[in-house]
Amino acid sequence: MTHALPLPDFTHERVEVITGRRSGLLVAVALHSSVLGSALGGARLWTYPSWTDAVGDALRLSAAMTLKNAAAGLDAGGGKSVIGLPEGTVLDTDRRRAAFLDLGDAVESFDGLYRTAEDVGSTTEDMLTVSERTAHVVGLPDSVGGSGEPAGPTSSGVYASLIATLERAVGTGDVAGRRITIAGLGQVGGRLAQRLASEHAALTVTDVDPAKRARAAELGAAWVEPGEAHLVPADVFVPAGIGGVLTDDVIDALDARAVCGPANNPQAERAGAERLSRRGILYAPDFVVNAGGVIYLDLVAKRRGTLDEIMGRVAGIGDTLRRVFDEAETRGVTPLAAAEGLAAERLSVGAGAVTPV
């Protein structure tokens, strides 16, 4: 499920929009900020109603990456790339390869100011194709010595955030018996659901792909149709698909004590944070919650620490979120405003500052 989202203020350093010479597809690369270092953000392959929607997505996502990387304490700026598919387009193997070669050329034109990685719709194998045209790509397959799929670390960070959210919303981080609704059973949502099921959470799940219903049965989770997930009574509602699901109507009907999930830009409007607050629903900002993958990719690529140390940084996302909740309460603002303040503080200090996680 997708919704039209507003464009962010245009504060980007550079945006390139091309028609790929091999694939004929729109390729957009948006560099929002390199204040903290070479920008890092994935490459999304998605179907859009028009080319302007694809470019708008790149603008929104790249701005969110600046916040995410800053709040995570990384020496990395914010950027994002999008390969836009016209509605009804189905890529065969050759054209898919052509599209990611085109992306590689576009990334290379940024001379190292932007590094790409896999994202929604793309894979580590696609990044291997990108690497034929540029060295500025991370998250290559394990088989070639790369860091591999980052969904595991992303899911670990979401889990740490969920525990912090439960502590604040219900008074304990114990998930056993807690009612948790996960909207989206992709790479991250599926991993999270598996972990929560093993810890005896009372799970309700959904996905736009009806075939995922079999996965719900395997997990012992209740299944609900996507448009009804927010109506299920829950301690935590977990948006784990495409952004924009928290429209005004959904927020007004949402039967949950808190929202905490990996979906980028889940609020259809920025005012949604205030709307959630007025309803007494705790909101864990997405760009804090879903930072595990980018922490993993950036630190592995830069060889900053052992795997255990890097995963410790990922687990520290929970403490960052606790700090956000504390700051929001102290200042009398929403957690979103507090998290943006944390990112702004880091951006003002610059690269090499002490990290918050």
Side-chain angles (χ1 to χ4, degrees):
M1 184 182 300
T2 60
H3 300 274
L5 294 171
L7 289 174
D9 292 337
F10 189 82
T11 55
H12 296 66
E13 294 179 15
R14 177 180 168 189
V15 178
E16 291 285 336
V17 183
I18 65 170
T19 299
R21 65 181 181 86
R22 302 174 187 85
S23 66
L25 296 171
L26 177 142
V27 178
V29 180
L31 170 61
H32 181 257
S33 172
S34 60
V35 169
L36 295 177
S38 172
L40 176 58
R44 178 163 296 192
L45 175 67
W46 199 250
T47 299
Y48 296 93
S50 75
W51 69 270
T52 56
D53 294 301
V55 175
D57 210 14
L59 295 176
R60 284 187 296 271
L61 291 167
S62 59
M65 287 304 303
T66 296
L67 295 174
K68 180 187 299 189
N69 294 341
L74 298 175
D75 292 334
K80 203 79 172 186
S81 49
V82 166
I83 299 173
L85 302 180
E87 292 184 326
T89 301
V90 178
L91 295 184
D92 60 22
T93 301
D94 289 343
R95 197 177 185 198
R96 185 182 186 101
R97 172 175 166 76
F100 283 97
L101 290 172
D102 290 336
L103 173 64
D105 287 339
V107 171
E108 180 64 16
S109 74
F110 281 72
D111 297 323
L113 282 178
Y114 167 67
R115 296 167 292 150
T116 196
E118 67 87 37
D119 194 70
V120 175
S122 63
T123 68
T124 57
E125 292 296 330
D126 292 324
M127 294 307 104
L128 190 57
T129 300
V130 172
S131 73
E132 295 179 31
R133 304 301 302 172
T134 183
H136 306 299
V137 55
V138 300
L140 299 181
D142 297 326
S143 59
V144 297
S147 54
E149 167 64 56
T154 302
S155 179
S156 293
V158 177
Y159 177 82
S161 299
L162 183 69
I163 298 305
T165 301
L166 280 170
E167 289 172 356
R168 192 60 57 111
V170 303
T172 175
D174 185 1
V175 303
R178 288 297 167 194
R179 302 166 303 166
I180 300 173
T181 299
I182 301 179
L185 291 177
Q187 291 275 23
V188 177
R191 283 174 167 83
L192 181 66
Q194 178 68 52
R195 182 166 186 176
L196 293 175
S198 72
E199 296 182 9
H200 309 294
L203 281 182
T204 299
V205 300
T206 190
D207 195 279
V208 293
D209 179 2
K212 295 287 179 68
R213 188 165 189 162
R215 182 65 176 141
E218 293 172 3
L219 294 169
W223 173 269
V224 66
E225 293 304 310
E228 300 173 0
H230 64 291
L231 302 176
V232 177
D235 293 304
V236 183
F237 178 74
V238 181
I242 298 299
V245 296
L246 294 176
T247 63
D248 287 351
D249 288 344
V250 166
I251 291 172
D252 289 345
L254 182 62
D255 193 355
R257 299 174 73 170
V259 174
C260 173
N264 286 303
N265 300 321
Q267 298 183 75
E269 300 284 347
R270 177 180 168 76
E274 293 284 356
R275 203 176 191 96
L276 286 165
S277 180
R278 287 196 297 271
R279 290 207 57 218
I281 299 172
L282 181 66
Y283 177 66
D286 57 293
F287 61 84
V288 175
V289 172
N290 62 21
V294 75
I295 291 172
Y296 171 76
L297 290 173
D298 188 56
L299 298 183
V300 169
K302 294 174 178 175
R303 299 182 180 179
R304 293 187 179 176
T306 65
L307 181 58
D308 285 346
E309 289 169 340
I310 291 170
M311 291 307 295
R313 283 282 300 274
V314 171
I317 290 173
D319 290 331
T320 301
L321 188 57
R322 292 179 182 93
R323 176 181 170 186
V324 166
F325 290 151
D326 287 343
E327 187 75 8
E329 185 174 344
T330 298
R331 292 171 49 200
V333 298
T334 66
L336 177 59
E340 289 174 338
L342 173 65
E345 178 185 336
R346 178 82 203 299
L347 287 163
S348 69
V349 173
V354 176
T355 58
V357 295

